[in-house]
Amino acid sequence: MDQAYVIILFLFVLFTLLGAGVWVGLALIGVAFVGMELFATGPTGDRMATTIWSASSSWTLTALPLFIWMGEILFRTRLSQDMFRGLAPWMARLPGGLVHTNIVGCTVFAAVSGSSAATLTTVGKMSIPELRKREYPEHMVIGTLAGAATLGLMIPPSLTLIVYGVSINESIIKLFFAGILPGLVLASMFMAYVAAYSLLARDWKPLQDTGMTIAEKLRNSRFLIPVMCLIAVVIGSMFLGYATATEAAAIGVIGALVLAAVQGSLNWGTFAESLMGATRTSAMIALILAGAAFLSLAMGFTGLPRGLADLIATFELSRFELLMVLLVFYIILGCFLDGISSVVLTMAVVEPMVREAGIDMIWFGIFIVVVVEMAQITPPIGFNLFVLQGMTNHEMGYIAKAAIPMFLIMVLMVFVLIVFPDLATWLPDNVRQSPGG
């Protein structure tokens, strides 16, 4: 009964603070402070300062602002527009036509951004006007963009995977490589859905572009070379063991700055905007991580994580049943919190029971990312829905309805991961590790 009171107290304080509009990071610190005052002896302030400093001074965490900055540079320069010009000629003849540029564009940009919101905004600005001009079904344009933009959470450099790795003290490089194959499979599933819909739907009557010759397509493909080279350098340096995640992030920032300067789209304005954008996003995530670290300490004093793990153990759930419980739990939680907040808020409780069940933590990281991807497109707090509403002026209900097929494909992806766990574990098990990676 004592455990039940602890859970109720924690949840009451947390949701009271969140409901009052308090920032997630400060809400986590507030809940932890209440827990420490009630269940721990000694000065709470000293423990809070020590814990927050330890969480914020992690060297692994240095990769986070650098990858964010790399994405911000590309977002604010002409490189992203060139990427669309290079992709479009090759997508036009596929079943589903230029709608595939939403998915492939998001997949490519995810590999240099790590942020779902940056991926959505960049690709959306390029593709929505072009697809509307060619009279593609609006719900498909909106839905595929909402779903494919979530690939920024999985395909490296993924900010969510960095946060997850820091939370459970796991190798960031291994997590990055674990996300590559599942990310490509999920993108392929999105594309298969678009192709099937285009062949079966009656409202699929886009205007046809005049065909390009192979020579013209190849000429347009030159616009893809800068971004693809940047991806190859960043991911290749980690894969070959030449760089840690943090060093690869620094290489990515330098590469993005050089490419933007060579292209002529880098000036003091775009440089300052990219730096401030990265600073704001990094500070927000760092505050959430600091609050989560303090909350984990407070939970340790209450015995809540171990108690919940023991409680679930009494149910004698199989691995599959436990994963199904966690799937439903994270989908519900994702209706109210963004993906990173969901991960850091729950990991102190979830990690012990997952390890107890013998589930590989690298594989579980990809499972978590797929599930929190759904949080980006589930109302009422789905961040991608808000971004799309601002870009398209559609009602929230319309956008959420258009994203339902993408949500269901992500649910299917969870079962694909369960049936074929090697999708997430083969690359990390065989990748060459650099010192400190």
Side-chain angles (χ1 to χ4, degrees):
M1 185 59 71
D2 288 342
Q3 288 291 349
Y5 283 132
V6 172
I7 295 170
I8 292 169
L9 178 64
F10 266 63
L11 291 178
F12 175 76
V13 175
L14 176 62
F15 285 107
T16 299
L17 291 172
L18 290 175
V22 178
W23 293 348
V24 173
L26 294 180
L28 297 179
I29 292 173
V31 175
F33 194 89
V34 170
M36 292 293 287
E37 286 292 319
L38 291 176
F39 300 102
T41 57
T44 300
D46 289 352
R47 286 199 178 104
M48 180 174 72
T50 303
T51 305
I52 289 178
W53 172 255
S54 299
S56 304
S57 58
S58 165
W59 173 248
T60 308
L61 203 56
T62 313
L64 190 71
L66 290 173
F67 277 128
I68 294 172
W69 191 16
M70 182 175 70
E72 289 280 345
I73 294 166
L74 296 175
F75 169 57
R76 286 176 165 80
T77 60
R78 211 175 66 238
L79 286 166
S80 54
Q81 298 169 21
D82 287 349
M83 185 179 71
F84 183 85
R85 292 171 64 187
L87 285 174
W90 300 101
M91 301 294 110
R93 292 297 177 187
L94 294 176
L98 290 179
V99 173
H100 289 300
T101 57
N102 274 351
I103 300 165
V104 178
C106 285
T107 304
V108 173
F109 196 78
V112 286
S113 167
S115 165
S116 175
T119 301
L120 173 59
T121 307
T122 303
V123 178
K125 281 181 178 178
M126 296 182 294
S127 67
I128 290 175
E130 295 296 327
L131 296 176
R132 281 177 169 172
K133 189 164 64 179
R134 291 165 174 79
E135 299 182 9
Y136 282 91
E138 183 75 0
H139 66 94
M140 285 297 289
V141 175
I142 301 298
T144 54
L145 196 53
T150 63
L151 292 168
L153 300 182
M154 181 183 292
I155 295 176
S158 162
L159 305 186
T160 307
L161 285 176
I162 294 175
V163 169
Y164 174 81
V166 170
S167 299
I168 67 163
N169 196 28
E170 188 57 79
S171 165
I172 303 298
I173 290 183
K174 282 192 172 185
L175 286 166
F176 276 0
F177 286 108
I180 293 176
L181 292 179
L184 294 176
V185 169
L186 184 56
S188 300
M189 291 166 70
F190 288 151
M191 293 182 72
Y193 165 71
V194 170
Y197 185 92
S198 70
L199 297 173
L200 300 173
R202 295 180 180 178
D203 64 340
W204 194 272
K205 298 175 182 176
L207 300 177
Q208 295 297 322
D209 285 331
T210 55
M212 278 189 176
T213 65
I214 292 293
E216 290 172 325
K217 289 181 179 180
L218 290 173
R219 199 157 43 244
N220 271 19
S221 296
R222 75 185 187 277
F223 296 114
L224 284 174
I225 293 174
V227 175
M228 298 309 292
C229 286
L230 186 60
I231 294 171
V233 169
V234 171
I235 297 181
S237 63
M238 290 187 287
F239 185 82
L240 296 174
Y242 293 132
T244 64
T246 303
E247 291 163 350
I251 292 169
V253 169
I254 295 170
L257 288 170
V258 169
L259 289 177
V262 169
Q263 187 196 54
S265 57
L266 180 67
N267 53 49
W268 176 248
T270 55
F271 178 83
E273 287 173 9
S274 69
L275 190 56
M276 288 307 299
T279 302
R280 281 191 293 268
T281 305
S282 302
M284 176 194 71
I285 295 174
L287 181 61
I288 291 173
L289 282 172
F294 189 36
L295 182 61
S296 297
L297 178 68
M299 283 184 169
F301 278 99
T302 64
L304 180 59
R306 188 73 263 165
L308 275 177
D310 292 341
L311 177 64
I312 290 178
T314 61
F315 297 144
E316 297 183 351
L317 298 176
S318 66
R319 288 188 190 183
F320 180 76
E321 290 168 338
L322 175 61
L323 290 172
M324 291 302 99
V325 169
L326 291 174
L327 172 63
V328 174
F329 168 70
Y330 277 107
I331 288 175
I332 294 172
L333 192 65
C335 293
F336 305 99
L337 290 174
D338 65 276
I340 288 176
S341 301
S342 298
V343 170
V344 296
L345 178 63
T346 59
M347 212 34 62
V349 175
V350 170
E351 183 186 356
M353 65 179 74
V354 171
R355 289 190 186 276
E356 188 86 15
I359 296 171
D360 185 283
M361 293 307 294
I362 296 288
W363 179 91
F364 187 71
I366 305 307
F367 170 88
I368 282 285
V369 167
V370 174
V371 179
V372 300
E373 277 181 349
M374 303 174 194
Q376 300 292 111
I377 56 174
T378 50
I381 310 294
F383 191 68
N384 284 9
L385 304 183
F386 286 111
V387 175
L388 275 170
Q389 187 180 37
M391 292 173 67
T392 63
N393 295 319
H394 283 301
E395 292 290 331
M396 183 67 73
Y398 177 88
I399 299 171
K401 185 178 177 182
I404 287 175
M406 303 295 117
F407 176 87
L408 296 177
I409 290 172
M410 290 181 204
V411 174
L412 178 60
M413 183 64 199
V414 170
F415 291 98
V416 170
L417 275 174
I418 292 172
V419 175
F420 304 105
D422 285 352
L423 270 179
T425 57
W426 185 83
L427 265 181
D429 289 343
N430 292 278
V431 69
R432 177 180 169 187
Q433 285 283 287
S434 63

